[in-house]
Amino acid sequence: MSRTTWPALVLTVLLLTTACAQRGPAGAAPTTPGAPTSPETPTTSSAPSAPAVPAEGLVIEVAHTGGFVTPEMLASRLPLVSVHADGRVITQGPQIAIYPPPALPSLQVQHVDEDAVAVLVGRALRAGVDESADLGSPPVADLPSTRFTVRTRDETYVREVYALGAETPPGPPGEDRPGGTDDTLTPEQRAARAELQALVQELSDPASVLPEDAVGAQEAYVPEAVAGVVTEWRDPQNGAEPQPVPWPGPPLPGEPLEPRLGLSCVLATGEQARAVLDAARTADTLTPWVSEDGERWSVALRPLLPHEEGCTDLVQR
């Protein structure tokens, strides 16, 4: 990819990130090597530096946590977006509006270049992921929190926001305010939440904030491994007759994941992973998967992301 468009953009990120991290006297500007000095340009400031990105692994993740969902949905939930040191940006793809939905969730991947990863990290820090001010809580129940994780070479920043995106305009209930009032949120909290909500949208569509030649085409993400969160299959009793599908992966029900909730987990890799992906094309979330001994199981399929290794990654979320 051409990088002729990067110098100005990276310089902007350097200045903005440094301005946010090192707040000096009003009107003060950071110095850069070789820059002419003036009364408004302190000579004692150190040169600005871009956020140092890890050489490998996960760099940015935005994920939902909690909320009123089933235990197997919590365990198999995918991040909204993940950005990796090798430039892969993985997002949830379009979902088919049918019930029951397909067994395999839709994921998309696109590649950005090395400089772009640092730019996205800088954008996340400017949006407030490294801050800790109270963001308030809209008066709604059972919604998930949005957790932002940003890794630099030196630090890991985590910030959670309850019911992000559920805010409504201040004032009395009305047609545009079906849930009532959010007057408990201060203007500062609303502004901070708006920054983080905009960050979610930008990370999900990196082409909206990066030069065109820095972002690759979007394509389907094909995982190297697939986890399955396993529970006993129960007839949905909705008049439908789900067609059983032979399970082509490791023996069910696998290893205990959360025994108190009756959850177990299997991990398919290599040829077994490819077989599971093939079988999932004709299955949905209500499909009874049949093990070798004839037992029927519900299996919530969870593609593993590049930084994940197995079932333990699901319970650590």
Side-chain angles (χ1 to χ4, degrees):
M1 296 184 182
S2 171
R3 298 193 180 183
T4 57
T5 54
W6 277 115
L9 181 57
V10 172
L11 178 59
T12 300
V13 172
L14 296 178
L15 295 176
L16 289 175
T17 303
T18 303
C20 292
Q22 301 177 353
R23 302 192 185 275
T31 59
T32 55
T37 60
S38 68
E40 293 79 20
T41 306
T43 58
T44 57
S45 300
S46 60
S49 59
V53 176
E56 59 183 14
L58 182 70
V59 178
I60 303 174
E61 182 183 78
V62 183
H64 281 157
T65 65
F68 188 65
V69 294
T70 64
E72 55 266 32
M73 291 178 66
L74 284 174
S76 60
R77 178 183 274 167
L78 282 157
L80 301 175
V81 57
S82 60
V83 181
H84 302 262
D86 63 4
R88 282 182 285 187
V89 179
I90 301 174
T91 57
Q92 295 187 14
Q95 307 296 321
I96 302 175
I98 60 173
Y99 183 83
L104 194 68
S106 172
L107 288 176
Q108 303 288 320
V109 62
Q110 54 192 143
H111 288 77
V112 301
D113 65 27
E114 180 180 347
D115 293 329
V117 175
V119 170
L120 294 177
V121 169
R123 172 67 186 98
L125 297 180
R126 296 198 310 278
V129 174
D130 60 341
E131 298 177 5
S132 58
D134 179 21
L135 293 173
S137 181
V140 290
D142 299 330
L143 293 183
S145 295
T146 303
R147 182 178 62 201
F148 297 83
T149 303
V150 175
R151 292 178 61 236
T152 67
R153 195 168 298 169
D154 301 316
E155 300 285 346
T156 296
Y157 303 97
V158 180
R159 197 174 196 190
E160 288 199 14
V161 192
Y162 176 67
L164 184 64
E167 306 86 357
T168 55
E175 292 183 359
D176 61 338
R177 301 174 46 76
T181 180
D182 278 359
D183 291 341
T184 54
L185 296 178
T186 67
E188 293 77 14
Q189 289 170 337
R190 290 179 176 280
R193 283 171 163 266
E195 279 285 334
L196 291 170
Q197 182 63 38
L199 175 64
V200 176
Q201 297 170 349
E202 292 167 1
L203 294 175
S204 299
D205 182 18
S208 66
V209 291
L210 296 174
E212 182 179 356
D213 61 352
V215 184
Q218 200 170 61
E219 57 190 28
Y221 173 70
V222 180
E224 295 183 1
V226 181
V229 178
V230 184
T231 56
E232 292 183 4
W233 185 81
R234 293 180 175 85
D235 190 332
Q237 298 182 347
N238 58 2
E241 296 183 2
Q243 295 300 309
V245 176
W247 173 251
L252 296 175
E255 297 297 323
L257 185 66
E258 179 48 80
R260 294 172 301 172
L261 300 174
L263 300 182
S264 57
C265 184
V266 293
L267 179 65
T269 60
E271 290 294 336
Q272 286 186 328
R274 288 186 282 274
V276 169
L277 294 174
D278 288 340
R281 293 193 178 97
T282 60
D284 57 50
T285 56
L286 296 182
T287 292
W289 294 91
V290 182
S291 58
E292 290 185 354
D293 59 5
E295 292 290 327
R296 295 187 174 195
W297 303 92
S298 291
V299 182
L301 297 179
R302 168 58 156 78
L304 291 194
L305 301 178
H307 66 287
E308 296 174 329
E309 297 180 354
C311 292
T312 55
D313 290 293
L314 306 188
V315 296
Q316 292 174 354
R317 300 189 54 79

